[in-house]
């Protein structure tokens, strides 16, 4: 199994969720996060003063999937999250040793 962590724009979350749902991926964890990458933040004027905001709001989507669906799910996330501008986000992939459904005790891919 693999765990996918996708850091994406907040505005693209609904499109990613819908596309994953259409492909039978329903279990996910979504967290609102702050971060910066190549964007290095932005500068804004507020009441005549210039402020630099170097942590921008993003969304982290975490999904655990079977190994054989990895490329398919990555392609869906990339397609739906991409705007073509700096700040579209990143995807990180981790191996998952086991998963356990607390309610039933089910383990492995059956638990996801």
């Amino acid at each position: 199994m693999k765990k996918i962590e996708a850091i994406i724009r907040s505005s693209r979350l609904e499109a990613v969720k819908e596309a994953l749902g259409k492909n039978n991926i329903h279990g996910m964890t979504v967290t609102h996060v702050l971060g910066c990458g190549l964007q290095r933040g932005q500068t804004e004027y507020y009441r005549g003063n210039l402020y630099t905001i170097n942590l921008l709001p993003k969304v982290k989507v975490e999904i655990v999937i079977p190994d054989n669906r990895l490329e398919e799910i990555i392609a869906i996330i990339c397609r739906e999250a991409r705007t073509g501008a700096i700040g579209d986000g990143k995807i990180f992939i981790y191996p998952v040793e086991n998963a356990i459904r607390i309610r039933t005790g089910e383990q492995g891919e059956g638990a996801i």
Side-chain angles (χ1 to χ4, degrees):
M1 293 177 289
K2 300 288 189 222
K3 178 181 180 183
I4 298 174
E5 283 186 5
I7 312 295
I8 62 173
R9 295 175 185 269
S10 302
S11 62
R12 301 305 305 152
L13 176 61
E14 285 303 316
V16 170
K17 278 184 5 185
E18 285 180 25
L20 291 173
K22 288 178 184 174
N23 286 277
N24 295 319
I25 301 294
H26 302 289
M28 66 182 70
T29 301
V30 177
T31 311
H32 293 279
V33 297
L34 297 173
C36 65
L38 291 177
Q39 280 179 297
R40 293 190 180 91
Q42 59 192 26
T43 56
E44 294 181 2
Y45 281 97
Y46 179 73
R47 294 189 177 183
N49 295 317
L50 181 65
Y51 292 94
T52 301
I53 303 166
N54 59 2
L55 295 177
L56 301 171
K58 301 287 181 179
V59 174
K60 178 166 64 170
V61 178
E62 299 173 82
I63 310 165
V64 177
I65 59 167
D67 289 332
N68 62 346
R69 298 205 60 199
L70 181 64
E71 296 303 320
E72 169 195 2
I73 301 306
I74 290 171
I76 290 168
I77 294 170
C78 285
R79 181 184 69 236
E80 297 300 327
R82 181 177 292 130
T83 67
I86 292 175
D88 277 349
K90 294 223 176 14
I91 297 175
F92 303 97
I93 302 161
Y94 306 95
V96 174
E97 188 173 316
N98 198 4
I100 302 166
R101 179 173 288 146
I102 294 172
R103 178 177 52 86
T104 63
E106 218 174 341
Q107 293 192 31
E109 287 187 11
I112 58 172

